[in-house]
Amino acid sequence: MKIVVPRNHIAAVFAIFSLMLANYLAAARNQNSAQNQEKSVYAALAKAPQKAVTHPNPLQNDPNAVVAGGKLFEIHCSVCHGDMAEGGRKAPSLVAEEVQQATPGTLFWILTNGVVRRGMPVWSKLPEPQRWQIVSYLKSLAPLKVPQQIREPAPRASVIRSTRLSCVRLASICRFEHCHLSRWYATVVESSRLQNPQHGRAWLWPALKSVSNRWCYGYERCG
Amino acid sequence: MRLGRLLRFLGLVVITLALTARAQESPYIFTYDHYLEEPGSLEVEYFSTFGTQRGGNDFDAFWAEFEYGATAWWTTELYFDGQTTFDDSTLFTGFRWENRFRLLQLEHFINPVVYIEYEQTSAADKILKEVEGHDVASDYAAPNRVLRKEHDHELEFKLLLSKSFKGWNVAENTIATKNLTGGNPWEFGYAVGASRPLALKASPKLCNLCRENFIAGVEMYGGLGDRHSFGLHHTSQYIAPVVAWNLPSDWTFRLSPGFGLNDNSHAFLLRWGISREFSGFGQLLARLFGGTKP
């Protein structure tokens, strides 16, 4: 049987897909320029409606919510936002002040609706309780209060503060497999190297190892 | 130079296979919900459909899917189809190129997605990924050597409507197909599905058999005739329970036994699929061609 495909159909198909490609390229260009404007990355937080902003986290008192949220973050979010939520090329930091000061309801709204124009997909495919668990985890990433004895000397304390780890975060890490801990070491060392280029990696490693061992074996006491 | 670039590309593909991947897939095999692939992620899937055939040999049709999230609002997908008809032969039956576009940025009561697909297949294609028009089981009874001679060039459009609420997902697809070969009329079909995870809260531990890793549901699909004879007359209709198992190790398994609801349908279809999502594939490609630095 001879196949006859009308030329106008082929032209229409090509026109449609050319349009799609042009749209895609335009969106990619917009996304790149938007990423350069760091502040506007967090503008979506302000778009949450008042009803969503004031919605309390129903899992606020759930003792497992943060750890379960950490697991979900690791599975679904860390690939873009980084293992430590420190941000990456594709997605902003979630330990930034803008995020940490946002209400749980705002974060839940962002998770549910995504920021499609900027490349964040909607996550309403996760059931509501799982989204609240992720919110619990994100809120646990508040800036770290470092114990006095490991705050000195000054460079070490600045390194630890820069990682913005909370005890709860450590608890979730320590409950995971050892590979996660190794990744945490790598992230901390890298982040401190970037922030303190004058210091080498050699002196840092034993200090961090000491701190993380201390917290991982005794994180229940963190408070 | 070209060979070197090709080798680098193959090397990166191998590295990609070792990357961590993220999966939270719906259990549907036929129906689409409104969730698109995450931007930059590549999902590689293999599906199989075993079907009983009245008046002919049973068959096992299979297809590979490569689904890529171009943006948060556009997912593009390439299919390669094949089939084995028992006591007959095994054939490559064609390819499909599918695109899905999210229309609205925010979540709404109903979330629409537009689906556009071009397919070039032979009549021997039996994957039954779409059932539309007056497709009936007897169309597939002829031997492969006869069916393979007929070729279809089709444009297919779908309006995907979906809603997630209290852990449930409900999806409805309206299908319209135009065969570009000859003067065939527009054909129509539908699919509806509902699904829910077995547990809504995640457990704190990493586990394979946690209830939240399983999503169960049901889907129903069939033809709605064509422009000249719209309706259920001389169409095939199916109902199929579905279950998906999302493993933390990044694999997803799907299983769906389907049952024909009338004499025009295949009496039984057993579908299963395995998939894995590779996050960061787009970034790897960009690095390969100098788009971004690691």
Side-chain angles (χ1 to χ4, degrees):
Chain A
M1 178 182 170
K2 192 179 176 186
I3 304 161
V4 180
V5 183
R7 281 186 182 178
N8 57 347
H9 285 157
I10 295 173
V13 170
F14 276 105
I16 288 168
F17 290 121
S18 303
L19 198 62
M20 281 160 35
L21 189 62
N23 260 337
Y24 170 63
L25 293 174
R29 195 177 53 191
N30 287 340
Q31 200 172 338
N32 285 339
S33 64
Q35 277 174 350
N36 293 333
Q37 301 165 352
E38 185 65 24
K39 279 192 176 178
S40 65
V41 168
Y42 299 103
L45 290 166
K47 292 181 180 170
Q50 193 58 30
K51 189 180 171 187
V53 171
T54 54
H55 198 299
N57 184 348
L59 302 181
Q60 198 164 8
N61 299 320
D62 184 339
N64 289 327
V66 172
V67 180
K71 183 183 85 170
L72 292 169
F73 181 89
E74 175 78 17
I75 293 171
H76 300 296
C77 316
S78 65
V79 72
C80 293
H81 289 284
D83 288 344
M84 308 303 298
E86 75 279 12
R89 291 192 68 86
K90 288 173 68 181
S93 165
L94 301 178
V95 291
E97 205 174 343
E98 289 89 340
V99 177
Q100 291 303 320
Q101 286 182 349
T103 65
T106 304
L107 298 181
F108 181 84
W109 184 84
I110 289 282
L111 260 176
T112 302
N113 290 280
V115 190
V116 172
R117 190 173 286 176
R118 289 187 180 278
M120 177 173 166
V122 299
W123 282 102
S124 61
K125 65 179 166 184
L126 294 179
E128 280 186 30
Q130 291 189 23
R131 276 175 272 156
W132 282 117
Q133 285 174 322
I134 293 175
V135 169
S136 298
Y137 169 73
L138 292 178
K139 295 304 283 183
S140 77
L141 297 174
L144 174 66
K145 290 171 184 163
V146 182
Q148 187 62 39
Q149 61 268 31
I150 56 172
R151 194 171 288 168
E152 300 296 335
R156 202 180 298 172
S158 70
V159 166
I160 294 164
R161 271 198 299 272
S162 73
T163 64
R164 294 169 180 260
L165 287 172
S166 68
C167 289
V168 185
R169 167 61 175 155
L170 277 169
S172 68
I173 292 173
C174 297
R175 286 184 190 182
F176 287 166
E177 299 158 55
H178 290 298
C179 64
H180 292 274
L181 197 57
S182 309
R183 287 162 72 182
W184 178 74
Y185 280 141
T187 310
V188 169
V189 170
E190 188 60 20
S191 112
S192 62
R193 189 180 63 79
L194 290 172
Q195 295 195 10
N196 302 285
Q198 70 275 20
H199 297 298
R201 187 175 290 201
W203 70 270
L204 202 58
W205 186 262
L208 286 167
K209 194 170 182 182
S210 154
V211 171
S212 60
N213 280 344
R214 177 194 184 91
W215 283 348
C216 280
Y217 291 113
Y219 62 82
E220 291 87 355
R221 290 198 299 268
C222 282
Chain B
M1 189 68 184
R2 269 189 178 177
L3 182 65
R5 184 158 278 195
L6 179 67
L7 288 174
R8 282 170 64 191
F9 173 73
L10 291 175
L12 277 173
V13 168
V14 172
I15 291 167
T16 305
L17 294 176
L19 283 177
T20 55
R22 310 290 179 239
Q24 172 71 26
E25 306 301 330
S26 81
Y28 306 129
I29 293 180
F30 194 96
T31 313
Y32 287 86
D33 57 27
H34 69 289
Y35 299 112
L36 305 184
E37 191 61 51
E38 286 86 36
S41 293
L42 175 73
E43 187 170 359
V44 181
E45 301 169 270
Y46 174 84
F47 282 93
S48 168
T49 297
F50 166 79
T52 58
Q53 179 69 57
R54 294 187 185 92
N57 297 325
D58 295 345
F59 60 87
D60 181 45
F62 39 85
W63 70 97
E65 285 183 45
F66 300 89
E67 181 177 2
Y68 181 68
T71 68
W73 48 266
W74 173 23
T75 290
T76 185
E77 198 164 351
L78 193 60
Y79 292 71
F80 295 101
D81 304 352
Q83 58 104 326
T84 296
T85 299
F86 301 125
D87 299 322
D88 192 338
S89 61
T90 297
L91 293 176
F92 170 72
T93 54
F95 74 90
R96 299 152 194 265
W97 181 27
E98 161 194 314
N99 291 275
R100 281 176 283 152
F101 301 94
R102 185 185 170 88
L103 296 182
L104 303 175
Q105 288 196 40
L106 300 179
E107 286 287 276
H108 291 78
F109 183 74
I110 299 283
N111 302 285
V113 169
V114 166
Y115 171 112
I116 304 171
E117 179 189 280
Y118 171 74
E119 65 180 64
Q120 189 172 324
T121 55
S122 74
D125 194 288
K126 298 181 179 180
I127 69 169
L128 292 167
K129 191 78 173 68
E130 293 100 17
V131 178
E132 71 255 332
H134 295 292
D135 291 349
V136 290
S138 57
D139 296 345
Y140 303 96
N144 280 345
R145 68 177 182 279
V146 176
L147 291 173
R148 69 185 302 180
K149 289 177 184 168
E150 185 182 333
H151 294 272
D152 294 329
H153 295 258
E154 280 189 0
L155 269 183
E156 181 167 304
F157 300 91
K158 292 183 186 177
L159 179 61
L160 317 177
L161 302 175
S162 167
K163 163 83 177 167
S164 290
F165 184 69
K166 302 262 182 208
W168 284 90
N169 174 264
V170 180
E172 190 277 334
N173 303 168
T174 304
I175 305 168
T177 302
K178 175 69 176 169
N179 192 339
L180 303 177
T181 312
N184 295 315
W186 283 88
E187 296 180 315
F188 304 101
Y190 75 94
V192 291
S195 65
R196 184 186 187 277
L198 298 191
L200 299 184
K201 268 190 190 177
S203 59
K205 293 178 181 172
L206 278 175
C207 48
N208 290 329
L209 294 171
C210 296
R211 287 193 304 151
E212 78 259 18
N213 292 344
F214 291 90
I215 308 177
V218 64
E219 56 185 354
M220 185 175 169
Y221 48 89
L224 289 173
D226 58 34
R227 190 167 67 89
H228 302 305
S229 57
F230 188 82
L232 296 175
H233 173 68
H234 196 60
T235 60
S236 52
Q237 307 290 326
Y238 297 92
I239 190 164
V242 288
V243 64
W245 181 19
N246 288 307
L247 285 156
S249 58
D250 315 325
W251 294 90
T252 297
F253 296 98
R254 292 182 183 85
L255 183 68
S256 172
F259 305 94
L261 296 176
N262 60 20
D263 290 341
N264 293 321
S265 315
H266 296 280
F268 179 67
L269 296 174
L270 179 64
R271 297 175 189 263
W272 63 271
I274 181 171
S275 64
R276 185 169 179 181
E277 185 178 312
F278 299 98
S279 302
F281 181 80
Q283 281 178 310
L284 268 178
L285 278 185
R287 277 179 217 164
L288 176 68
F289 294 105
T292 55
K293 302 288 179 200

